[in-house]
Amino acid sequence: MSNHNQSSRRRFLQQIGATSLLTAAAPLSSLAAKEKAEERTLFYEKKISAGDKIRLGVIGYGVQGHFDLDTALKVPGVELAGICDLYTGRLVNAKEKFGNDLFTTRNYKELLDKADIDAVIVATTDCWHARITKDALAKGKAVYCEKPMVYKISEGPAVIAAQQKSGKVLQVGSQRVSSIGLAKAKELLAAGEIGKLNMVNAVYDRQSSIGAWEYTIPKDANAETTDWDKFIEVTGRMEYDAKKFFWWRAFKEVGTGVAGDLFIHLLSGTHFITNSKGPESIYGTGQFSYWKDGRNMPDVMAGVMQYADTPEHPAFQLTLQVNFISGTGGQEVIRFVGSEGVMEVQGNSLTIKHSLMPEAPGFGGYDSLFTFSKSMQDEMQKEYSAKWTDAQKIRPKKEDVIFKAPPGYSDHLDHFTNFFDAIRTGKPVVEDAVFGFRAAAPALSCNESYFQKKIIHWDPVQMKLV
């Protein structure tokens, strides 16, 4: 890719063939702008010189590590400088893909010691996120840390402190917060398009063995090829278990289950759109419905969270759902319910359907009126008709809204572009350590609630359990 290639900065990139047109199916009547299309493309206007190059290292080259690296390398001026993974087969895979000269190691500290590395992707097992992130920041590296930012709530303050002390960029990898679709949802909610928010229903269902984390385990997997002793260095002592290494999300000893994997996407999106700092009370419940494969984290889980009335948003209730054996075939949707309509955010697109109450109160029909005497019914009907006009009795109509991202658009690419822009310019990232912790803590609290069978209370401002 040419360093002189003009590339989209915060929106869509030319190299993925995105268009610059975002469409709304109907006028946004409550907004100042009435256009049915908006151009949201911002281009780099300077050439990327050698001094602007960012040398990138990857720590954890599994499924998400592959996806993250492939996306990061689409951003102009980013070069790969090294890969670390505990499983030897993935290091072989890295050299097969990028050449035998690529620096690879099983010891992440060797990668952090490399002076030519400016930033690292941390895409390891959850239990390693905090330690590696802190070590990387201490070595002067910018960090893109996969969600959840921490494995335990108690790790959060130390990661925030490490980022503040280092002054280096830290972005958490919940890519949807960089989405143009979520930016539009945020705009429409703030404009009052669905009235006053009162409830959010968020769902992330799947129906496949891969979606349930039953990833293929290589035939040569053993304690030596996976460096098991290093893997369990941050956990309690455990006998070698290939499932805990390759299916780690399913086990509480090393992963955070559906809450840390999928609830956190829903929480990050909700917090971004509402400007929320988080809930005050959290309850989680779960069950084992289908994937009874040795896992100790549920395959069906629900959460209920209460958000207080704040300067940023009115009080609302959030319900979370993950179902790994969903007959829907799988779905991801965040549904914002307000007093005048419903906004559904699906991926990078959204729809709004309105339902407004008439000015006049209900009277008659499924009502107690018919249970009164005939004379009382007639008298009250006459009074009601005199007080309210026919127009006031009719529900007002408001056009639906449809917003779609263009074909080929990638929020993942936008998220990495934002990360590298922050490194180059010093501007704030969209998902810093504080935002990442405020999303992680309620998600992890769902697990705590499930195991302890109690409501968890959280202070979203001070970011601590109460």
Side-chain angles (χ1 to χ4, degrees):
M1 180 183 300
S2 169
N3 285 340
H4 303 296
N5 211 16
Q6 262 198 336
S7 306
S8 164
R9 179 158 54 90
R10 286 179 58 88
R11 300 302 173 214
F12 5 107
L13 302 185
Q14 286 182 334
Q15 46 279 50
I16 59 171
T19 67
S20 62
L21 189 64
L22 309 179
T23 59
L28 310 184
S29 57
S30 66
L31 303 178
K34 299 290 186 180
E35 298 88 345
K36 289 190 178 183
E38 298 180 355
E39 192 167 308
R40 288 284 188 94
T41 306
L42 302 176
F43 292 100
Y44 282 113
E45 295 183 354
K46 70 181 183 70
K47 295 177 180 178
I48 300 175
S49 66
D52 290 318
K53 287 182 180 179
I54 295 173
R55 300 270 292 166
L56 181 66
V58 178
I59 304 173
Y61 196 48
V63 175
Q64 195 59 39
H66 274 72
F67 292 151
D68 282 350
L69 178 58
D70 289 348
T71 300
L73 292 178
K74 292 179 182 178
V75 180
V78 177
E79 297 180 354
L80 177 61
I83 290 179
C84 171
D85 198 275
L86 293 180
Y87 170 52
T88 55
R90 287 180 176 150
L91 300 183
V92 173
N93 172 274
K95 286 185 178 290
E96 289 173 345
K97 187 170 182 177
F98 297 104
N100 288 328
D101 292 337
L102 176 69
F103 175 81
T104 60
T105 179
R106 299 174 82 183
N107 184 349
Y108 76 89
K109 291 185 177 180
E110 290 182 355
L111 188 143
L112 295 181
D113 284 338
K114 286 177 62 65
D116 64 337
I117 288 182
D118 306 299
V120 294
I121 293 172
V122 179
T124 63
T125 308
D126 290 349
C127 61
W128 276 96
H129 284 185
R131 178 182 289 195
I132 296 176
T133 295
K134 290 186 294 182
D135 286 347
L137 291 168
K139 283 289 187 177
K141 315 299 184 186
V143 177
Y144 181 101
C145 179
E146 268 302 331
K147 50 76 190 168
M149 186 182 80
V150 293
Y151 168 65
K152 300 176 181 177
I153 293 174
S154 59
E155 297 171 332
V159 173
I160 293 171
Q163 187 280 319
Q164 293 171 342
K165 180 179 179 180
S166 71
K168 293 296 179 179
V169 173
L170 168 58
Q171 176 154 292
V172 181
S174 298
Q175 67 270 13
R176 287 160 183 78
V177 301
S178 287
S179 166
I180 55 173
L182 266 64
K184 174 55 74 175
K186 184 185 188 85
E187 176 186 328
L188 292 171
L189 182 67
E193 192 65 30
I194 62 169
K196 184 179 179 181
L197 179 69
N198 53 61
M199 177 169 277
V200 180
N201 308 125
V203 176
Y204 205 147
D205 290 345
R206 290 175 173 174
Q207 190 188 33
S208 74
S209 60
I210 301 301
W213 313 315
E214 287 190 349
Y215 304 128
T216 300
I217 297 175
K219 293 169 64 176
D220 66 349
N222 58 48
E224 288 71 38
T225 59
T226 60
D227 200 349
W228 181 255
D229 286 340
K230 168 61 74 173
F231 181 70
I232 62 173
E233 203 171 88
V234 295
T235 71
R237 184 72 191 174
M238 296 183 291
E239 293 300 315
Y240 172 73
D241 185 337
K243 287 184 178 180
K244 285 190 172 69
F245 188 92
F246 291 98
W247 297 3
W248 52 268
R249 292 190 191 278
F251 299 94
K252 63 183 179 180
E253 294 85 357
V254 289
T256 55
V258 302
D261 185 21
L262 302 177
F263 275 9
I264 202 161
H265 276 308
L266 304 173
L267 283 159
S268 297
T270 299
H271 289 182
F272 175 79
I273 291 168
T274 61
N275 287 317
S276 182
K277 292 182 174 66
E280 291 186 336
S281 65
I282 301 146
Y283 179 73
T285 185
Q287 65 190 40
F288 296 86
S289 291
Y290 187 83
W291 305 104
K292 299 175 183 179
D293 48 16
R295 70 183 61 217
N296 53 29
M297 299 296 275
D299 59 357
V300 172
M301 195 167 188
V304 179
M305 302 184 181
Q306 188 64 49
Y307 289 69
D309 191 7
T310 70
E312 292 80 18
H313 56 72
F316 67 90
Q317 188 177 89
L318 169 65
T319 63
L320 299 166
Q321 172 190 312
V322 170
N323 182 352
F324 274 3
I325 190 61
S326 174
T328 64
Q331 59 179 330
E332 179 188 355
V333 58
I334 306 179
R335 184 176 294 107
F336 295 83
V337 182
S339 58
E340 297 181 0
V342 177
M343 175 170 66
E344 288 194 355
V345 180
Q346 293 181 287
N348 297 303
S349 302
L350 68 87
T351 60
I352 294 179
K353 294 186 179 296
H354 298 98
S355 179
L356 282 68
M357 291 180 66
E359 185 179 352
F363 186 79
Y366 192 78
D367 181 22
S368 58
L369 178 68
F370 75 94
T371 66
F372 305 160
S373 67
K374 181 68 167 59
S375 61
M376 179 62 70
Q377 291 182 48
D378 292 343
E379 179 182 349
M380 296 187 73
Q381 181 67 61
K382 184 177 180 181
E383 291 175 352
Y384 180 80
S385 298
K387 184 175 182 180
W388 303 101
T389 67
D390 289 342
Q392 289 174 310
K393 299 172 188 175
I394 299 173
R395 287 180 177 269
K397 298 292 185 183
K398 195 173 181 180
E399 295 291 336
D400 294 343
V401 176
I402 299 175
F403 178 92
K404 292 184 178 180
Y409 171 75
S410 169
D411 54 15
H412 200 207
L413 188 50
D414 258 359
H415 206 47
F416 269 105
T417 304
N418 289 333
F419 172 59
F420 294 123
D421 275 357
I423 296 172
R424 289 182 174 123
T425 68
K427 72 174 186 179
V429 293
V430 294
E431 188 177 8
D432 62 11
V434 171
F435 186 106
F437 185 45
R438 282 182 166 144
L444 300 179
S445 292
C446 281
N447 286 337
E448 291 300 311
S449 177
Y450 165 73
F451 285 113
Q452 296 181 32
K453 302 186 184 307
K454 69 176 186 180
I455 296 173
I456 304 297
H457 298 280
W458 171 250
D459 183 335
V461 177
Q462 298 300 319
M463 296 181 288
K464 63 181 182 180
L465 295 167
V466 294

